[in-house]
Amino acid sequence: MENRLLEPIDHLKGVGEETAELLHDIGIYSINDLIEYFPYRYDDNSLRDLEEVKHDERVTVEGKVHSEAVLTYFGKKRSRLTFRLLVGRYLLSVVCFNRPYFKNKLSLNSIVTVTGKWDKNRQTITAQELVFGPKQEISGIEPVYSVKGKLTVKGMRKFISVAMKEYIDEIEEILPIELLEKYKLITRKQAIQTIHAPIEQASLKQARRRFVYEEFLLFQLKMQALRKVQREQSKGLNQQYPKETLDHFIKALPFPLTIAQSRVIDEILSDMKSPYRMNRLLQGDVGSGKTVVAAISIYATILSGYQGALMVPTEILAEQHAESLIKLFEPFDINVALLTSSVKGKKRRELLEKLKNNEIHLLIGTHALIQDEINFHTLGLVITDEQHRFGVEQRRMLREKGKNTDVLFMTATPIPRTLAITAFGEMDVSVIDELPAGRKTIETYWVKPDMLERIIAFIEKEIAKGRQAYVICPLIEESEKLDVQNALDVHSMLTDYYQGRYKVGLMHGRLSSDEKDAVMRSFSDNEVHVLVSTTVVEVGVNVPNATTMVIYDAERFGLSQLHQLRGRVGRGSEQSYCILLADPKSETGKERMKIMTETNDGFVLSERDLELRGPGDFFGKKQSGMPIFKVADMVHDYRALEVARQDAVELVRSDAFWQEEKYNGLRKQLTNSGILNGEKLD
Ligand code: ADP
Ligand code: MG
């Protein structure tokens, strides 16, 4: 039988052609669209204890008139009526504007019901509605719908209540009974009824709970199904390498791998060996040792007869990776090349020629790697480091560089898990959740700028022990608009101060890449003791002897950026320090500084960052691609999101889900979204 909920909206009693058009404007075409048009908030007109009501909140109270009403006019038509009302043990004032005729009806000791805004400080309600007599016994919670044009909230309430009466029995359950029972969820029908006409806050909560789970489960099912489809459709390279040779390479590393590193390497290698194409996200906090994981994976692809590419967001990082990987691969006869903007002319042509002839096994560079002129012989594995900094488009182009190429995205955490499993839900995820042994926790302090002198002395003490320090400034030059420290000034101040004793270097984005290179080299060779820099050193840079990180105007940076900056120290076995020089004016600014001093855990930080900023801001609007949920909230309902994801993974993997009748409802949702017809989820 045809589902009547799919009937067009003008089939509803009271909805003519004109109203139908107004409803189309807010996206309502069918009866189903209407009953799934949920309120965005509720007015709670049920009687509440004033103790619980917050300042400025709307409230309804019933009380006894306790004083003569006083009427004042200002102007001809405008007036104010004030009287005292006794509500329980509360004696409060009621103000009522422009209703002078109420005065004579408000006799002493009579009962009235007042709805309005509660001014907690003045103990006053500004009345929006006033009813003479006790509160009527109807549901006090009224849904408020978002409307446009000539539609009114009252009108929407009417349409929906008509639709609910007429069509309520058409609403089918889509969740299988086992899930309803497992999580004690109310049925779809009950939930929709409650959402539109709640009797009390508690049942509203139950209805909300059901839809949070339903929305997350459907979304995750789509992601997991998409992943399955992509996997089955995208043939991989089936890379085969001699295991002993790779093991030999791993044994030759200067340190044993952590358990977490070994685990993610197994995950990556099994993807590369599989007949499917790898599409994997590798998350690991700063300093967790992602580079060596990349190196091992690249060696595996080279042993299988392919080339590797490593793409990073900045040239400094490209140079640094090139330097350490060249050293690492040298004994193994691997040719590593660095492609940056400064490789020009003949040198560039030669390099590209070698790349095409498979004489270069690993190419390292910035987004320059995805330009058209760059042709590999047979690209087997592409890795992007600090991948959250590349746009979606760049990621796609890189993937298309080689046919069936395996792809690994590496990132230093700032993606909270909740976002990772929504924005990157169609990828496989590996996590390095452990730091190499022997690392000491970085001690982080938040100090006011007037402590500067003591900090400079502190740096000096560290240098005297043979260590080095970073000093980060938000700007390169003095700015008229912003009162923040700039790198040039700080550099000359520190140069004066340490004159004749220690060397101070300067690094910022406007130096040429040769100059940057020279500065970075002298810092990693410990010829420069203090490096004053803008945030160009933020990602990836690795100088283990640096133990102190001072950040000027730290309140100007976001939490994940501060964490990235802090990650430049604490890379060796010595105790490291991070000093935040900040005088934040806003509450969230203070909160950020506090959080920094409280935790070193990138996962915790990124979750807190998400709470402070909200998901929309997290990736920047453009490339967010974040899904929109009607009821669910990714930040506050993250536990439900985790649960739903796990359920979705298990369902999509099971045969029962694809065959049994009790999953029809859920499967139909996937068909409707186009995934099972080979279309892609956008
Ligand atoms: P990130 O994950 O931030 O990119 P890196 O790969 O730069 O971290 O590694 C940070 C430092 O830890 C480097 O100096 C690296 O050589 C070292 N390292 C990596 N893995 C280990 C390990 N298993 N044991 C000891 N040190 C390690
Ligand atoms: Mg790194």
Side-chain angles (χ1 to χ4, degrees):
M1 201 184 69
E2 188 62 26
N3 187 338
R4 287 180 58 224
L5 287 174
L6 300 178
E7 289 174 11
I9 193 66
D10 58 10
H11 283 202
L12 192 72
K13 249 179 274 161
V15 174
E17 215 173 293
E18 199 180 327
T19 313
E21 239 161 75
L22 292 171
L23 289 168
H24 292 173
D25 283 347
I26 52 172
I28 297 173
Y29 296 89
S30 65
I31 304 288
N32 194 57
D33 293 339
L34 180 69
I35 66 171
E36 289 193 13
Y37 195 79
F38 293 166
Y40 71 94
R41 68 175 176 86
Y42 296 87
D43 278 341
D44 193 344
N45 297 333
S46 51
L47 295 175
R48 287 164 71 196
D49 187 344
L50 277 171
E51 203 86 59
E52 293 165 10
V53 182
K54 294 195 196 85
H55 179 67
D56 262 1
E57 232 185 317
R58 198 179 130 107
V59 63
T60 298
V61 293
E62 182 191 288
K64 217 184 245 180
V65 177
H66 201 74
S67 76
E68 192 98 358
V70 180
L71 180 64
T72 13
Y73 275 95
F74 37 106
K76 265 210 178 112
K77 288 213 174 118
R78 293 161 61 206
S79 68
R80 181 175 58 212
L81 192 66
T82 327
F83 62 94
R84 309 279 281 164
L85 187 70
L86 187 66
V87 179
R89 53 201 166 78
Y90 259 101
L91 187 60
L92 51 100
S93 300
V94 177
V95 182
C96 202
F97 286 102
N98 306 326
R99 270 106 135 208
Y101 41 85
F102 279 175
K103 180 172 163 59
N104 295 330
K105 291 180 150 190
L106 286 165
S107 45
L108 218 54
N109 287 326
S110 64
I111 303 286
V112 293
T113 305
V114 180
T115 300
K117 213 159 140 191
W118 174 228
D119 183 330
K120 198 158 195 138
N121 307 329
R122 297 207 172 121
Q123 300 277 296
T124 299
I125 294 181
T126 307
Q128 288 154 350
E129 281 168 44
L130 199 152
V131 177
F132 297 93
K135 168 109 176 69
Q136 300 294 310
E137 268 321 309
I138 44 161
S139 161
I141 310 173
E142 286 183 311
V144 183
Y145 300 93
S146 112
V147 287
K148 235 165 77 180
K150 285 190 188 153
L151 287 172
T152 61
V153 173
K154 271 202 174 124
M156 285 303 288
R157 284 181 192 156
K158 206 183 98 219
F159 300 141
I160 287 173
S161 97
V162 173
M164 292 297 286
K165 280 204 192 82
E166 181 81 6
Y167 292 88
I168 185 79
D169 289 326
E170 303 286 327
I171 299 173
E172 287 169 11
E173 186 50 69
I174 60 173
L175 296 176
I177 182 93
E178 78 225 26
L179 288 176
L180 291 178
E181 280 175 355
K182 183 170 171 195
Y183 301 118
K184 302 196 167 50
L185 300 174
I186 60 174
T187 64
R188 198 159 208 278
K189 187 163 136 185
Q190 281 175 313
I192 289 185
Q193 233 162 358
T194 306
I195 288 257
H196 291 301
I199 309 284
E200 41 158 17
Q201 294 288 351
S203 55
L204 195 54
K205 216 166 147 184
Q206 289 307 314
R208 224 191 132 261
R209 209 173 136 257
R210 188 230 139 87
F211 274 109
V212 167
Y213 181 76
E214 178 185 312
E215 282 190 307
F216 281 156
L217 183 72
L218 286 178
F219 177 72
Q220 289 296 337
L221 276 177
K222 286 174 195 171
M223 286 299 202
Q224 297 308 318
L226 177 66
R227 197 174 122 193
K228 184 174 146 80
V229 169
Q230 273 179 356
R231 246 182 124 85
E232 283 165 5
Q233 287 175 353
S234 56
K235 253 174 55 77
L237 294 175
N238 213 333
Q239 307 200 35
Q240 298 300 334
Y241 53 86
K243 188 169 176 304
E244 314 74 59
T245 320
L246 191 70
D247 285 347
H248 176 68
F249 177 74
I250 294 174
K251 283 214 186 75
L253 291 170
F255 42 72
L257 295 176
T258 62
I259 293 169
Q261 280 171 325
S262 301
R263 188 187 59 237
V264 304
I265 287 167
D266 282 346
E267 289 164 355
I268 292 165
L269 292 179
S270 88
D271 272 2
M272 287 170 59
K273 282 185 281 195
S274 83
Y276 306 119
R277 181 177 193 183
M278 172 162 74
N279 188 23
R280 188 171 281 280
L281 181 71
L282 172 60
Q283 285 192 275
D285 208 345
V286 279
S288 62
K290 292 183 294 296
T291 315
V292 66
V293 171
I296 293 166
S297 315
I298 287 165
Y299 192 50
T301 207
I302 296 170
L303 287 176
S304 311
Y306 298 97
Q307 291 166 297
L310 176 60
M311 189 160 98
V312 295
T314 64
E315 297 214 332
I316 298 185
L317 196 52
E319 279 155 19
Q320 189 161 359
H321 273 322
E323 193 178 335
S324 65
L325 291 174
I326 285 170
K327 219 188 285 163
L328 189 67
F329 281 130
E330 209 161 38
F332 297 86
D333 258 348
I334 303 291
N335 276 331
V336 181
L338 172 68
L339 184 70
T340 61
S341 54
S342 56
V343 182
K344 292 192 189 104
K346 186 160 164 255
K347 254 175 102 184
R348 190 181 187 88
R349 277 197 305 279
E350 276 174 12
L351 189 153
L352 293 179
E353 196 55 34
K354 279 189 182 164
L355 189 68
K356 221 159 70 186
N357 297 334
N358 206 11
E359 287 166 57
I360 288 171
H361 305 113
L362 166 60
L363 186 66
I364 300 173
T366 60
H367 53 272
L369 287 196
I370 46 177
Q371 285 158 12
D372 276 341
E373 46 156 4
I374 308 217
N375 290 308
F376 290 83
H377 179 72
T378 40
L379 185 58
L381 172 65
V382 172
I383 300 180
T384 71
D385 195 10
E386 309 296 346
Q387 82 85 29
H388 60 286
R389 304 195 128 219
F390 289 110
V392 172
E393 186 57 13
Q394 281 173 321
R395 269 147 50 189
R396 189 186 59 76
M397 278 170 69
L398 189 70
R399 209 164 30 211
E400 287 172 2
K401 254 335 295 173
K403 250 202 172 155
N404 311 332
T405 310
D406 285 321
V407 190
L408 180 68
F409 300 96
M410 305 201 297
T411 178
T413 350
I415 313 165
R417 236 186 104 64
T418 39
L419 286 195
I421 64 182
T422 43
F424 300 101
E426 89 290 4
M427 288 185 175
D428 295 293
V429 179
S430 292
V431 182
I432 310 184
D433 50 4
E434 168 190 18
L435 294 181
R439 294 275 170 79
K440 295 205 174 80
T441 312
I442 302 166
E443 286 177 22
T444 302
Y445 301 97
W446 164 26
V447 302
K448 295 281 164 63
D450 55 15
M451 300 268 285
L452 185 60
E453 247 172 278
R454 283 180 57 184
I455 286 157
I456 294 173
F458 176 81
I459 295 175
E460 180 153 12
K461 250 175 52 198
E462 281 292 300
I463 304 175
K465 288 191 229 161
R467 318 269 177 272
Q468 289 163 280
Y470 294 97
V471 177
I472 306 295
C473 309
L475 295 181
I476 300 176
E477 284 170 274
E478 197 173 349
S479 150
E480 280 179 22
K481 289 197 207 90
L482 293 169
D483 181 25
V484 290
Q485 284 296 335
N486 66 79
L488 296 178
D489 278 357
V490 172
H491 175 253
S492 71
M493 181 267 289
L494 289 178
T495 306
D496 279 353
Y497 186 90
Y498 294 125
Q499 185 117 47
R501 287 170 293 158
Y502 301 115
K503 266 199 84 178
V504 184
L506 176 65
M507 166 71 98
H508 56 72
R510 254 186 256 152
L511 299 179
S512 73
S513 50
D514 280 349
E515 288 168 321
K516 279 187 210 159
D517 210 18
V519 176
M520 229 31 240
R521 176 144 304 133
S522 52
F523 189 60
S524 54
D525 292 347
N526 201 1
E527 283 157 18
V528 160
H529 306 99
V530 180
L531 184 63
V532 176
S533 174
T534 59
T535 56
V536 292
V537 297
E538 173 192 343
V539 282
V541 169
N542 187 29
V543 179
N545 191 47
T547 52
T548 305
M549 161 69 57
V550 176
I551 304 173
Y552 269 96
D553 300 301
E555 73 271 15
R556 292 179 47 81
F557 299 107
L559 271 181
S560 44
Q561 203 175 8
L562 289 172
H563 184 58
Q564 279 287 328
L565 287 167
R566 177 168 63 184
R568 298 314 106 215
V569 296
R571 308 194 132 239
S573 51
E574 301 302 328
Q575 178 61 51
S576 287
Y577 308 91
C578 174
I579 296 151
L580 308 167
L581 277 170
D583 194 6
K585 299 289 180 283
S586 73
E587 281 312 307
T588 54
K590 288 177 190 154
E591 184 67 21
R592 285 205 306 273
M593 295 309 114
K594 234 180 95 226
I595 295 170
M596 280 298 290
T597 61
E598 285 166 0
T599 182
N600 267 292
D601 183 328
F603 280 94
V604 173
L605 267 166
S606 64
E607 298 286 354
R608 300 292 300 270
D609 204 14
L610 180 62
E611 275 168 36
L612 288 180
R613 284 200 284 167
D617 269 8
F618 209 86
F619 289 106
K621 293 272 180 305
K622 242 209 231 119
Q623 55 163 310
S624 79
M626 296 306 296
I628 294 163
F629 298 108
K630 268 201 294 199
V631 178
D633 178 312
M634 276 188 311
V635 179
H636 294 107
D637 303 322
Y638 74 95
R639 267 183 241 276
L641 179 58
E642 297 266 358
V643 167
R645 173 176 162 97
Q646 200 44 47
D647 289 341
V649 168
E650 279 164 26
L651 282 173
V652 167
R653 256 192 222 145
S654 73
D655 289 335
F657 177 73
W658 300 100
Q659 288 155 10
E660 284 177 26
E661 179 156 347
K662 61 177 174 179
Y663 297 113
N664 279 357
L666 287 176
R667 275 205 315 275
K668 208 157 92 193
Q669 300 288 322
L670 294 185
T671 319
N672 291 346
S673 67
I675 290 171
L676 298 183
N677 307 326
E679 286 167 47
K680 286 212 172 159
L681 181 77
D682 204 13

